[in-house]
Amino acid sequence: MNPCDLPLLNSLSAPAVHPDALHCVVSVTRPDFASDAYTGQLWRVPMAGAGQPRRLTRGFRDTMPKYSPDGASLGFLRAGAGEPPQLFVLGAGSGEPVRVTDAKLGVSWFSFSPDGQQVVFSARVPEEGRYGTVKGVPAAAEDPRLITTLKYRMNGTGYTGDKPTQVFLLDLPNLDAEPYVEPRGRAAAGPEARPDSGGVPAARQLTTAPADHLQPVFSADGTRILYTREQDDTTLVSDVYSITTDGTGLRKLTNPGGRTPLSVSDPVESTNGAWLFYLGQELAESGTDFVARNTALYAAPTADPAAVRRLTDPEHTDLAEGTVLAHRGAEALVFNRHRGTGELLSVDPRGGVQTLVSGPRVVTAAGSADGTVVVSYTDTGTAGDLAVVEEGGLRSVTDFSAALREKCPVSAPVEETHSSADGYPVHGWLALPDGPGPHPVLLNIHGGPFAQYGWGYFDETRIYTRAGYAVLMCNPRGSAGYGQEHGRAIKGAMGTHDLADVLAYVDGALAAHPELDSSRLGIMGGSYGGYLTAWTIAHDHRFTAAVVERGFLDPLSFVGSADIGWFFSAGYTGTDHAGVLAQSPMACVESVRTPTFVVHSEDDLRCPVEQAQRYYTALKLRGVPTQMLLFPGENHELSRSGTPWHRRQRFEHLLDWWARWLPTAQNPAPDEARKTEAAPV
């Protein structure tokens, strides 16, 4: 795969399964260089084996399809070029979709009522005078912001206190009615004129508290609306609330007294209305002990929410990667991170767990109707496709990655385990380029740190193997997918077990594979991966060159500058000044002599750009060969969801860096590349 092939990476939404279970609808989006944006439409996919998928809509970016429970309506979010997404509804007989919202900053979520006559949705509500609410007042001319809270910014969103997410309810219009035409001329003044302007139906705002109200859904009987909201400004604790459809009757349904506080998400009632499900992460008594706390599924009788029980064991099961889906009456579908895979589980309210999908793939989303389950997934050969879950396994119903595989054929990475210095098993993968070797090696370290490499399609690996590099990816202690003890092993001890594990994985792979060139090693990583890269090159000098991207590089300054700094640094490195310095890459930067490429985004609020600027300057002052690449207008998610051209340019610069320090035949050094270009054909 080359950087120019990014538009071949199709991403799929959760499938909206029609109640008759004969077809589903999915959103397929991709990076588009022409518009420098992500474009995509809805596709109708038959599931009974008859017919081929066909494009259903033609919008610029159509996402998040959902069927009403009766199948009469299909809702989805549509965004125009440079415009925020709004909710559109399409009748069962297809035709033209009808726009039903006009949220100033766009709609982020919606859900149908059980009878299909109403929709609840969430949207940010801007403070008057900000974000274009007053014509002619640009951002630089707005009033100052008075900050009194710890939580006031979020990466990718910016300031949050002046645009909280609120819950709205609207009655759906008659999709079969004749379209309204604005009267003109004499008709506009005559008795036939209508008082309305032909705009979208009016929505009723149901919540007003100065906090984010997230993931609103209807109760099974349609009389109440469930959503989540954080408790206060000093902890990570959040709750499920419910209100009636007129916005009254507020009830808190979670975190009863005497229990360990939870951060909760994804509330949903079972389809039979008997149970309330939600995801929860225990936070200890402090309300902020989030480090490697696996997410579990909780259930309570709707008649007695305080009688809650935990259905999955957080020590060995981690449901952090997905939402809860009501399924088959009183069961829930959830997604489990396990040793690099993304499993789909079905859980009943008494704790019975059935694994529906496992194996070398990552299930990213699912939909269900009439007992049929459809999943979106990725594996080593597909960036995103759909499959029906059957007793014998998965039956694929799309092949949206055919063009990707045809143009960019690759072999699957090799799964391996190598022992750390203390005998601890370190699990990971080796991806090899074509040819016999010896191949230069890139150790790529994931972010998080409570995240995992796995079996999903990874553009980073494909780009580097295409350029002639062997790529090592492992999940050292601190990673997700191997239990809480594995993840919490580096709490207060960053740069200890994790450093030993990644170096041992390099040693083990080199010993097992003579086709790897032990004299030409590179190391790279982003976010926490940037941290461990910077920490490694200060303590081990075997690497020819390094890339430190969007790094967590100084835990001390991170506390006051990052959106999560008020709790993240304390959670991982502690609060003792000497102890924090003992885990800080900035505190040992004088030991670095490895040539280092520092990459960062200017609008990164998760790891603020000062982390990169100070690290780069320290290297420069010490004479270490270094460069810094800064991306305007991008945030912490550049490599995953940045603008297509910036993502392409990022890869091109990274390949240029590796060509300088670890050239290959496919990615030659600059002088060799020029000779090749100048050679006669």
Side-chain angles (χ1 to χ4, degrees), residues 294 315-316 318 337-341 415 424-429 450-453 474-476 479-487:
N294 278 346
E315 177 52 45
H316 304 292
D318 183 11
R337 295 191 292 192
H338 177 65
R339 295 182 59 83
T341 69
E415 183 181 20
Y424 194 85
V426 186
H427 179 228
W429 292 263
F450 200 53
Q452 65 170 1
Y453 278 133
C474 65
N475 292 325
S479 304
Y482 303 82
Q484 289 186 148
E485 183 179 352
H486 178 95

Side-chain angles (χ1 to χ4, degrees), residues 534-575:
W535 184 259
T536 300
I537 60 178
H539 293 83
D540 190 289
H541 305 295
R542 73 180 71 183
F543 295 96
T544 306
V547 175
V548 172
E549 186 170 9
R550 59 183 187 279
F552 169 58
L553 303 174
D554 187 351
L556 291 175
S557 66
F558 192 86
V559 172
S561 59
D563 61 345
I564 61 172
W566 64 275
F567 68 89
F568 184 90
S569 287
Y572 268 104
T573 63
T575 56

Side-chain angles (χ1 to χ4, degrees), residues 359-372:
R361 64 184 60 84
V362 176
V363 175
T364 56
S368 173
D370 195 29
T372 297

